[in-house]
């Protein structure tokens, strides 16, 4: 009887903790993708400022995730904006990170 009681208690604890652990895993995956997208955005802005590279759109694939880097001219002042976009799929959520070249 004590064994059944302890097993049922353990089972109840697992029922409460497993969804929490799954949610934490999803949040950490999303934060990792956002961090990598910000890294690519800052690297692109830095390369444009230092090397004066041309404004070109391209895709980087890291850890089986495609990061699409695009340059836009959103405002009439002529400032360029770089955006890093990750498309949504079954594994990770959609993410967009943008920064303005000053």
């Amino acid at each position: 009887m004590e064994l059944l009681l302890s097993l049922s208690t353990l089972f109840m604890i697992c029922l409460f903790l497993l969804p929490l652990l799954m949610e934490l895993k999803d949040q950490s995956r999303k934060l990792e993708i956002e961090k990598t997208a910000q890294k690519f955005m800052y690297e692109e802005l830095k390369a444009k400022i230092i090397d004066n590279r041309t404004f070109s759109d391209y895709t980087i694939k890291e850890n089986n995730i495609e990061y699409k880097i695009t340059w836009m001219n959103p405002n009439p002042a002529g400032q360029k904006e770089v955006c890093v976009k990750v498309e949504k799929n079954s594994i990770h959520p959609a993410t967009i990170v943008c920064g303005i070249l000053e």
Side-chain angles (χ1 to χ4, degrees):
M1 190 68 162
E2 290 178 18
L3 179 63
L4 282 175
L5 183 62
S6 62
L7 285 176
S8 65
T9 304
L10 182 63
F11 181 68
M12 293 299 279
I13 290 172
C14 288
L15 281 177
F16 289 114
L17 290 180
L18 281 177
L20 178 65
L21 290 175
M22 290 171 58
E23 180 66 27
L24 287 174
K25 184 178 178 182
D26 289 342
Q27 286 179 359
S28 71
R29 183 179 303 129
K30 183 178 179 184
L31 286 174
E32 180 182 342
I33 291 170
E34 287 179 6
K35 179 182 164 188
T36 305
Q38 285 181 348
K39 180 184 82 167
F40 287 139
M41 180 196 65
Y42 287 124
E43 285 176 358
E44 186 70 18
L45 289 171
K46 181 179 168 185
K48 179 58 184 154
I49 291 171
I50 293 173
D51 299 339
N52 203 14
R53 288 196 307 191
T54 60
F55 298 105
S56 60
D57 300 342
Y58 58 95
T59 301
I60 297 175
K61 190 170 186 179
E62 184 173 297
N63 296 332
N64 293 326
I65 300 172
E66 287 188 0
Y67 297 90
K68 296 179 183 177
I69 298 174
T70 57
W71 283 93
M72 297 181 279
N73 194 2
N75 55 17
Q79 291 179 321
K80 292 280 191 174
E81 180 180 30
V82 64
C83 289
V84 180
K85 183 177 183 181
V86 178
E87 297 290 334
K88 180 182 179 180
N89 68 16
S90 61
I91 300 172
H92 54 79
T95 304
I96 298 176
V97 178
C98 295
I100 295 176
L101 180 65
E102 296 178 2

